[in-house]
Amino acid sequence: MQMNTMTTGGLDNGDAAPQTFGSIRLEVGEAKAEMKQSILFERVSARLKAQVGPDVYASWFARLKLHSVSKSVVRLSVPTTFLKSWINNRYLDLITGLFQAEDPEILKIEVLVRTATRHGTKALDEAVAPEPAAPTQMRRPTSAQPAGQAVQQAVSAVAAARPASFGSPLFGSPLDSRFTFDTFVEGSSNRVALAAAKTIAEAGQGAVRFNPLFIHSTVGLGKTHLLQAVANAAVQNPRALRVVYLTAEYFMWRFATAIRDNDALTLKDSLRNIDLLIIDDMQFLQGKMIQHEFCHLLNMLLDSAKQVVVAADRAPWELESLDPRVRSRLQGGVAIEFDAPDYEMRLEILKRRLAVARLEDPSLDIPAELLQHVARNVTASGRELEGAFNQLVFRRSFEPNLSIERVDELLAHLVGSGEPRRVRIEDIQRIVARHYNVSRQELVSNRRTRVIVKPRQIAMYLSKTLTPRSFPEIGRRFGGRDHTTVLHAVRKIEELISGDTKLSHEVELLKRLINE
Ligand SMILES: Nc1ncnc2c1ncn2[C@@H]1O[C@H](COP(=O)(O)OP(=O)(O)OP(=O)(O)O)[C@@H](O)[C@H]1O
């Protein structure tokens, strides 16, 4: 383990081998610290495996190593950049929670890439995900179904998840067998997207509906879960759909490797004949050549009536780093935004998590009041709920009588901790657009009619005054405008507010709505 290097590093002052009594004592102390760190890592690894299941663990964490532990920072290492960003994007909160549960002094987890000791090809090959475990066929819940029944169904679904007996994606990023329609909780914030996703998963070849379907939301609201549910269901479709699920990062990596190995044609061929392409985390698609390839693929699939589903953390017209041709094709379909889950949904997500956790540990019991309390207070996203739930489960194993006050203490970092909420430009745009009865898309468009220009300038002014974003960045988020346009808007609104009480009240009201 690289840890050894780390511990001797502290003594590396050019001295000969330690001979004095003081150095020996230091060595014993170090050995003890090293052992403690190894135990910590072993314990967290075991919990992580229990949380994510052996398949996901084997895919992503089998090569995770402890690099070093300082008082508050744990550094882990993986062999490839791909794994690093995958773990950072998907699992960092979970891993941080698990370390903190072992040692509350730990504040931060960093994932590093180990220096390659093997040759390039081998190291890159290691990043190829193993064959995904596809789920078995599952029944579908209906919105009219009683909650208990839905939980039971979700439990059966997870219990039944096994490596594929039939149907799996042609290739691509691994699917998590827990991410199915059955385990996805429906609510007002995601109902439309869920209906569209189910329609696509059930459709036959060539029966294209909303193309491309573009789902966007801020982090942790269930985009990946829904996309993987589409993939998991589509591979079971009796019409034998050819399905590919990829994260944008995986797509980039596959193309980069294929181009390096002069094998791009084979890769393109294998993508040509698919029925359903699902791309997650579109905001990460970068690089001129890769975007060019992606644009080709997208055009080819859309033009031949093949279904494409995409998810990103922002709307297609806000993906500034994308090639305008890709952006424009993505805008040609249907974009649906998820909002944050409401209380009922949050509670249902927690109940389902509990039911699933009970499969592993039937003695696990979390009182309903605790679940309700968490659902009321952890409001931001499904991912935070998951973090809160993991903390609860972990704590209850050695504090069986957790009080609500203790839960608040444990979850202080997830519950509104008194810090002001971070305002996002998307929220400002949404609230201003709604207030002035225009669409968010119009706000970032090129249209220059009065009804759009004023709300746009107000939204820019609010973006500058309520967020730490720079003029150029705000310009980019408003349809790629120049920073001088934003500067002009901010000055203009400042000037107008000082002489127009009605407008000044309007802006105050908008600020209150945004900060709510
Ligand atoms: N409606 C839901 N029903 C059940 N679980 C949900 C729901 N929404 C979110 N979750 C859970 O919350 C966690 C985070 O969800 P997911 O990773 O799908 O979010 P995301 O929107 O893709 O986030 P990111 O933008 O960071 O990729 C997952 O464990 C997911 O199962």
Side-chain angles (χ1 to χ4, degrees):
M1 218 189 283
Q2 297 212 349
M3 251 175 57
N4 300 335
T5 330
M6 180 270 301
T7 47
T8 51
L11 292 172
D12 188 15
N13 55 7
D15 288 345
Q19 284 167 357
T20 66
F21 185 63
S23 329
I24 292 169
R25 209 165 43 204
L26 195 58
E27 281 191 336
V28 172
E30 281 175 348
K32 269 190 182 164
E34 201 174 300
M35 188 177 292
K36 228 172 114 191
Q37 292 169 4
S38 298
I39 292 171
L40 170 74
F41 182 64
E42 298 291 336
R43 287 171 67 102
V44 170
S45 302
R47 296 221 165 247
L48 185 60
K49 194 170 186 171
Q51 290 281 341
V52 299
D55 291 345
V56 174
Y57 186 87
S59 300
W60 303 115
F61 302 109
R63 283 163 294 151
L64 185 70
K65 288 185 180 173
L66 182 63
H67 175 277
S68 61
V69 183
S70 74
K71 197 166 180 306
S72 57
V73 182
V74 172
R75 292 193 176 85
L76 305 169
S77 74
V78 287
T80 64
T81 324
F82 176 77
L83 266 180
K84 175 185 158 181
S85 60
W86 183 268
I87 291 174
N88 272 336
N89 285 329
R90 311 264 138 195
Y91 296 104
L92 199 60
D93 289 350
L94 173 63
I95 296 176
T96 307
L98 292 174
F99 270 105
Q100 284 173 340
E102 290 284 339
D103 179 355
E105 291 201 11
I106 292 171
L107 299 176
K108 193 169 175 218
I109 307 297
E110 283 177 8
V111 183
L112 318 171
V113 179
R114 285 195 282 282
T115 324
T117 47
R118 275 166 285 208
H119 295 299
T121 318
K122 186 83 188 283
L124 272 172
D125 283 350
E126 284 193 344
V128 181
E131 272 295 294
T136 49
Q137 186 85 42
M138 293 156 200
R139 282 165 299 136
R140 187 160 288 116
T142 62
S143 43
Q145 207 171 25
Q149 203 180 324
V151 170
Q152 188 48 48
Q153 199 168 302
V155 173
S156 326
V158 172
R162 308 225 186 303
S165 51
F166 70 97
S168 58
L170 292 178
F171 72 89
S173 312
L175 294 182
D176 186 329
S177 57
R178 295 169 311 159
F179 287 171
T180 64
F181 286 132
D182 282 350
T183 54
F184 189 79
V185 174
E186 178 176 352
S188 54
S189 61
N190 62 21
R191 188 159 289 131
V192 180
L194 177 60
K198 281 182 176 173
T199 310
I200 287 172
E202 284 164 7
Q205 283 146 352
V208 173
R209 300 297 168 112
F210 334 92
N211 213 11
L213 172 66
F214 192 104
I215 291 172
H216 60 107
S217 78
T218 53
V219 294
L221 294 190
K223 298 182 294 295
T224 296
H225 190 143
L226 188 65
L227 256 55
Q228 293 213 6
V230 173
N232 275 322
V235 295
Q236 308 287 342
N237 188 318
R239 296 177 186 98
L241 296 184
R242 287 155 301 186
V243 182
V244 169
Y245 169 84
L246 298 162
T247 63
E249 281 175 313
Y250 191 97
F251 178 86
M252 288 173 357
W253 173 78
R254 276 303 291 252
F255 253 103
T257 318
I259 290 166
R260 185 201 60 193
D261 298 342
N262 281 330
D263 202 22
L265 273 181
T266 320
L267 179 59
K268 285 186 213 175
D269 271 350
S270 60
L271 285 165
R272 186 157 300 162
N273 293 318
I274 62 178
D275 300 304
L276 173 57
L277 174 68
I278 305 174
I279 301 263
D280 200 358
D281 287 332
M282 191 66 190
Q283 69 276 8
F284 294 131
L285 194 77
Q286 279 160 15
K288 225 172 155 184
M289 196 197 243
I290 300 283
Q291 294 208 22
H292 181 73
E293 292 296 351
F294 182 75
C295 194
H296 266 309
L297 174 64
L298 197 61
N299 285 338
M300 195 229 342
L301 293 175
L302 295 177
D303 293 343
S304 49
K306 302 295 172 66
Q307 181 70 53
V308 177
V309 182
V310 177
D313 69 352
R314 61 200 81 162
W317 55 90
E318 290 173 331
L319 289 165
E320 312 95 10
S321 61
L322 277 197
D323 181 315
R325 283 165 302 179
V326 178
R327 209 163 44 208
S328 142
R329 254 346 285 247
L330 292 176
Q331 285 184 64
V334 172
I336 305 177
E337 184 172 9
F338 278 177
D339 283 327
D342 59 20
Y343 169 75
E344 299 303 330
M345 274 179 77
R346 297 195 297 269
L347 185 59
E348 184 62 22
I349 291 176
L350 290 172
K351 282 183 184 166
R352 291 198 192 182
R353 291 282 305 171
L354 177 60
V356 169
R358 277 205 187 117
L359 290 174
E360 280 200 3
D361 177 5
S363 68
L364 181 68
D365 184 28
I366 298 179
E369 340 43 294
L370 280 194
L371 286 191
Q372 288 157 5
H373 182 72
V374 173
R376 256 193 305 276
N377 292 289
V378 178
T379 54
S381 75
R383 183 157 302 126
E384 295 197 347
L385 273 181
E386 187 170 73
F389 180 82
N390 291 339
Q391 281 273 2
L392 276 190
V393 171
F394 178 72
R395 286 290 162 179
R396 271 188 72 83
S397 57
F398 48 91
E399 290 180 57
N401 300 316
L402 276 183
S403 65
I404 293 223
E405 293 70 36
R406 179 78 180 118
V407 169
D408 281 345
E409 231 175 270
L410 293 170
L411 303 183
H413 60 295
L414 297 175
V415 178
S417 53
E419 281 182 21
R421 196 170 70 85
R422 224 187 80 213
V423 173
R424 299 169 325 129
I425 291 180
E426 294 93 302
D427 295 330
I428 296 176
Q429 289 172 340
R430 184 180 319 113
I431 288 165
V432 171
R434 197 186 310 144
H435 185 77
Y436 289 103
N437 206 14
V438 296
S439 75
R440 213 171 130 207
Q441 195 162 357
E442 280 173 320
L443 221 50
V444 301
S445 72
N446 287 330
R447 287 189 56 198
R448 288 169 190 277
T449 53
R450 235 178 79 81
V451 277
I452 307 287
V453 169
K454 190 173 153 208
R456 183 183 295 138
Q457 288 182 330
I458 290 177
M460 286 179 174
Y461 166 81
L462 290 169
S463 300
K464 190 62 207 155
T465 49
L466 299 179
T467 78
R469 305 287 167 224
S470 64
F471 285 112
E473 187 167 358
I474 296 173
R476 279 198 296 279
R477 304 300 288 273
F478 278 80
R481 290 183 154 75
D482 193 74
H483 72 280
T484 52
T485 312
V486 185
L487 188 66
H488 170 74
V490 173
R491 288 200 178 134
K492 175 99 193 268
I493 298 299
E494 263 169 0
E495 204 182 297
L496 287 176
I497 286 177
S498 61
D500 180 343
T501 328
K502 187 165 162 269
L503 180 68
S504 145
H505 285 158
E506 222 165 273
V507 169
E508 280 313 306
L509 170 72
L510 284 167
K511 279 188 186 169
R512 270 207 305 282
L513 289 173
I514 291 161
N515 281 315
E516 247 170 29

